[in-house]
Amino acid sequence: MDRLRVGVVGASGYSGSIAARLVAAHPRLALAFATSDKWADDTLESHLIVRLEKGAGAAARFVANASALEHAKDCDAVLLATSAQVSMGLLPAFAELGKQVIDFSGAFRLDASAYPRWYGFEHTAPAWLSRAHYGLPEVFGPAPRAGVVANPGCYPTAAILPLAPLLRERLIEPLGIVIDAKSGVSGAGKRSTEEYSFGEIDNDFRAYKLFGHQHSPEITRALDRVAPGVTLTFTPHLLPLHRGLFATCYARPLPGATAERVAQCLADAYAQSPFVRPVAPDDVMLKRVAGTNLCLVAATANDDVVIALGALDNLVKGAAGQAVQNLNAMNGWDEALGLDALQPFSA
Amino acid sequence: MDRLRVGVVGASGYSGSIAARLVAAHPRLALAFATSDKWADDTLESHLIVRLEKGAGAAARFVANASALEHAKDCDAVLLATSAQVSMGLLPAFAELGKQVIDFSGAFRLDASAYPRWYGFEHTAPAWLSRAHYGLPEVFGPAPRAGVVANPGCYPTAAILPLAPLLRERLIEPLGIVIDAKSGVSGAGKRSTEEYSFGEIDNDFRAYKLFGHQHSPEITRALDRVAPGVTLTFTPHLLPLHRGLFATCYARPLPGATAERVAQCLADAYAQSPFVRPVAPDDVMLKRVAGTNLCLVAATANDDVVIALGALDNLVKGAAGQAVQNLNAMNGWDEALGLDALQPFSA
Amino acid sequence: MDRLRVGVVGASGYSGSIAARLVAAHPRLALAFATSDKWADDTLESHLIVRLEKGAGAAARFVANASALEHAKDCDAVLLATSAQVSMGLLPAFAELGKQVIDFSGAFRLDASAYPRWYGFEHTAPAWLSRAHYGLPEVFGPAPRAGVVANPGCYPTAAILPLAPLLRERLIEPLGIVIDAKSGVSGAGKRSTEEYSFGEIDNDFRAYKLFGHQHSPEITRALDRVAPGVTLTFTPHLLPLHRGLFATCYARPLPGATAERVAQCLADAYAQSPFVRPVAPDDVMLKRVAGTNLCLVAATANDDVVIALGALDNLVKGAAGQAVQNLNAMNGWDEALGLDALQPFSA
Amino acid sequence: MDRLRVGVVGASGYSGSIAARLVAAHPRLALAFATSDKWADDTLESHLIVRLEKGAGAAARFVANASALEHAKDCDAVLLATSAQVSMGLLPAFAELGKQVIDFSGAFRLDASAYPRWYGFEHTAPAWLSRAHYGLPEVFGPAPRAGVVANPGCYPTAAILPLAPLLRERLIEPLGIVIDAKSGVSGAGKRSTEEYSFGEIDNDFRAYKLFGHQHSPEITRALDRVAPGVTLTFTPHLLPLHRGLFATCYARPLPGATAERVAQCLADAYAQSPFVRPVAPDDVMLKRVAGTNLCLVAATANDDVVIALGALDNLVKGAAGQAVQNLNAMNGWDEALGLDALQPFSA
């Protein structure tokens, strides 16, 4: 059986290096190349991929980021673990060469008009915005085989998965949703600032970017496809841990939204999903998902409010794992291929 | 100058041991006795109170909890770092002997009718409920000198301090407030269960007691004194850190509630307060308060929502420090006495 | 290709649950049964094994510990993640039924005479002590196919791997070795005591069991097989993290033991090993091994001392991963089978 | 009673900011000025000194580092929380103006000839090396009132305190001591590198600077004053926590060095010390000292080895607290003044 050859661009970041390891260990993928300026010319094994397929050849060492497109001929698909501005150039370039592309950044998740405000730049490839499939397979299905995927953000994945079924079943009002979310520090990528040094993060907790986080319009846009008229307040916070993201969502109940009914709604929506697990609210715990591609979800309600919870590993289900899941889905394979051996770190 | 002699009941718990150290180091207090079954007969110094006043005598060693009342004759005031059921008996007993009493538990913070549901017992001293002063001095002033104090809970302190001025100034609707709160693990006290073992908490984060936490009616009752008609949803979460508590509060804006106005409202309310510090939302950080008696607060708004933040050390401003502050206030001293040398641990 | 059917006894402990997941995801193993009193009758999937082989049948739910032997007929091999006293009974029972047995405990790692002092009991199956293969494959090779394995302790694995080649090549004196070791808290298993609660471990570090840890005679006995006359001082410490173990070893240099030579000695010894990686001393880091079956080792020297370092995940290379590696080795398979997809959690 | 006016140079670093707070809260000191480029012109209160003495005047805001000497006229003493190269210039300048100087850096702790190798520069003020008192009061007494103090390093303090009495009493051999030490991350100061980012430190542990740490000659030099002929191996490691330092020391026993005798030796040596507490080895814990000026020490022995332990807060007894203790001692005050109200953060 031939393996799909996959290149990873930006393989020394947190999600990029996980992506490279997932590709290397996947039964139907082969790591075609991995780029990193920091690790250029180092062997892949020195950065802890235990073993590569025999004859991996070109993949034995990291190559420079700038050479990514030169290696396009060696690959069938590419994972872009790059910044939004870099992805904005690379996605069209790889796609026009006929490659499957999964982009980890926010470059293809919004409407063109939203980029100046939320990302600080004009979009230079607006034609691709409508062609990019928003890759949350449990809600929006697989991308077409010859497609390009905007891999969802970590916060959006954790919030949309518990909220979308409730909106679809008209159990909550689209108006005035509150999403209070808490993320591990790796969500910010590898950082070289005093602000992200150990001494400043350990024993700390804080909110940031109130009313101003770029995942706010992304969540709104995705949920609005499920139930028109969504408005929401999204507040991200920084947890003193490396990996894991937790979303606590509050919405006004619509008639019939009892505690039993909202829980059943999630149970039904994800009964066949290998990765989204409806559980009781007290069982939504980061330790059960960190290290895996799982997302735990729960919902409950009283007369005043529906509370919906989501928890995932921001680097896996919130990035690299979801990218591989998208690759699996668009190639018609079992979505869990290469992802079901991942183990939680603390459970 | 004679020192006020203070006994501490339950001095081996997290907040009790901090209380004992604060009393021992306070310029106008002397530690009369400290009870602990676990540490009974150990010297106080062996549990790290660096130095006691000369001639501390009785205070040199911990005594058994059951002997607390026998030591009443040695003290002018008593701090009860005990469970609600124990406090329910001890507060009246000490008060009837004419002692100033500060109770750390929830035993005197609600109406009698609320105890079966929220605390699981019938209240046996309901007459004292109305006599106990709810000891949040910045909002409700000092207790009378010959009084007893229900020291507020940690979550209530962090939520009420940012919300009360906004309610009082009619900048937010009393109806439908959401309080999403996150506490360090010490809020649960010293625990001997697998659930609270290091391996189960480290790298984890989760919500608990949805719709069922006993601080929910306490916050409602206190805020209702400020603006009648308060209803709220309170969701506590468990942070993977030892000390610190953060409340993110969402409310509907009333006319005039601009970002500037709500920030100014907090600035005005706490301009003279030694411990409550209005800052920008991004500066509300646990690391700046953990170890101190400070509470950082902030508020901001857009057309849809007012967000108010509060951060404090659950063992200090949320327990032992606030107790000493209450003692200071009811004795007519500077509220900050014995509390202003406390240092943040991580800033 | 038929899979070897493997039972896991004690599958709700930290190393037992990892063992069960490794077996379930292994290409040549099938999980025959998993015992746990705590989780009896729960589905395996509810405790986060993402997917079981089709038709797993008996393995779909945890069974009670006491029923382990009844399930012997369903399995070809068994992993005992049990206490030394339980293993002392189970290993002979399963072995006499012709099963391959890998025991995680210390029950078969010492001479019979050592058990009263170091484990507090008389050994009841002394005949099996000499038959049990000490399962450190990189130093002592694979067990015979029809064998039983005493899976090494976590501290011994981290200390023996860097020291054994230096002793074998006569680069260090066997006399007076110092092993200063630091372990994550999971080394103590799941605990329900105040001592191991989050608040008591977080921000703490301490030594324990000076001169009295049961891994001391285990390390001595194993190294003594490599170079007779070993004496050593072993001091374990407790790190405020969940998984990971680091050994810093000090020995007197023998003639020729330069920095280059001791480093080369480790490089040569482990050139073909998939899991033991000789690196520079500064690169021996827990974050690179936690979550994987790797052990990083290093050695350096000056005129006075040789320093040898070892780092591993105490639950994987120090327990469950090494057990699977031993199973692989005794069945004649690639030692890395089912272990090379494990990813580090923090690198 | 007039307060001694103290300036703090470098008050935004971890130890400098603690020093400024200790001075501000000290009953016989007043904060004359505090320098910081990062915080220049910010109020001291904004960085969490709860309250300054009335009329603090110049001290109300941070001033630029370069202006330190201009403020000399306002102070009687100065604490230098600066790098070795900056201290090398400032200490003589302030001393020649007749100020008491306590230097936190290593600039005045070694012989001139050692600086090129261990600090990478030629010493430009060698005459001051012999005049600077090595400020470990429990071992070397107070500095003269008109003196300058080289405040010891954090690792040296933790190693010398348990070892010095054993050397003095000839219970251990001076030759071949091993010091295996572990420090919290704040020992490296505030950092802006990826290496010290949260994601790279959390869940990690490693050794660094084997045979090459500048505290190695400092410890040797200090212990050699106690017992000539000391040689030692010093290995520092990095703990995944903010504050705290632990030294495990191994030495060969001399005749008579029983477990009882070595423990008694420490008990006798520190019976009158307010800060150095001899305890049992299992009670030497970081959580009991972090946040305080205490150093816990212990010693035990068997026939082969003496083990001596020391634990302290590297920012307090290892830096800012010891500096204030030195100021107290050289001014003839109680050594514990202004230091005995500090509370441990986790005990």
Side-chain angles (χ1 to χ4, degrees), chain A residues 14 38 192 194 196 198 200, chain D residues 14 38 194 196 198 200:
Chain A
Y14 287 127
K38 189 165 114 187
S192 302
E194 186 182 305
Y196 282 90
F198 182 83
E200 300 301 301
Chain D
Y14 287 127
K38 189 166 114 188
E194 185 182 306
Y196 281 90
F198 183 82
E200 301 300 301

Side-chain angles (χ1 to χ4, degrees), chain D residues 67-119:
Chain D
S67 73
L69 275 167
E70 299 167 29
H71 291 273
K73 61 183 181 312
D74 304 321
C75 74
D76 306 304
V78 68
L79 307 182
L80 304 179
T82 41
S83 70
Q85 280 193 287
V86 170
S87 288
M88 191 164 53
L90 286 180
L91 179 141
F94 277 104
E96 281 159 14
L97 293 169
K99 311 301 176 186
Q100 294 179 330
V101 187
I102 319 278
D103 177 32
F104 291 28
S105 85
F108 295 90
R109 299 183 198 148
L110 304 181
D111 299 320
S113 62
Y115 282 89
R117 171 172 174 196
W118 296 102
Y119 283 87

Side-chain angles (χ1 to χ4, degrees), chain B residues 78-166:
Chain B
V78 67
L79 307 183
L80 304 179
T82 40
S83 71
Q85 281 194 285
V86 170
S87 288
M88 192 164 52
L90 285 180
L91 179 140
F94 277 104
E96 281 158 14
L97 294 169
K99 311 301 177 187
Q100 295 179 329
V101 186
I102 319 278
D103 177 31
F104 291 28
S105 85
F108 295 90
R109 300 182 198 150
L110 304 181
D111 298 322
S113 61
Y115 281 89
R117 171 171 175 198
W118 295 101
Y119 283 87
F121 57 73
E122 286 287 339
H123 207 286
T124 57
W128 284 94
L129 289 170
S130 55
R131 281 180 245 169
H133 177 78
Y134 189 68
L136 193 60
E138 293 87 353
V139 178
F140 300 111
R145 185 177 297 259
V148 300
V149 173
N151 208 48
C154 47
Y155 284 119
T157 301
I160 298 167
L161 286 172
L163 286 170
L166 302 171

Side-chain angles (χ1 to χ4, degrees), chain B residues 136-141 161 270 273 275-276 317 322 325 335:
Chain B
L136 193 60
E138 293 87 353
V139 178
F140 300 111
L161 286 172
Y270 298 116
S273 167
F275 295 123
V276 185
K317 182 60 176 164
Q322 184 139 279
Q325 184 185 352
E335 278 185 26

Side-chain angles (χ1 to χ4, degrees), chain B residues 16 65 110 142 145 172-174 184 195 230 234 249 253 270-271 286 310 338:
Chain B
N65 289 326
L110 304 181
R145 185 177 297 259
I172 57 174
E173 268 195 39
E195 187 183 8
V230 166
F234 166 61
C249 310
Y270 298 116
L286 286 195

Side-chain angles (χ1 to χ4, degrees), chain D residues 36-48:
Chain D
S36 162
D37 288 346
K38 189 166 114 188
W39 293 342
D41 300 326
D42 289 1
T43 64
L44 294 177
E45 285 185 339
S46 67
H47 295 282
L48 291 186

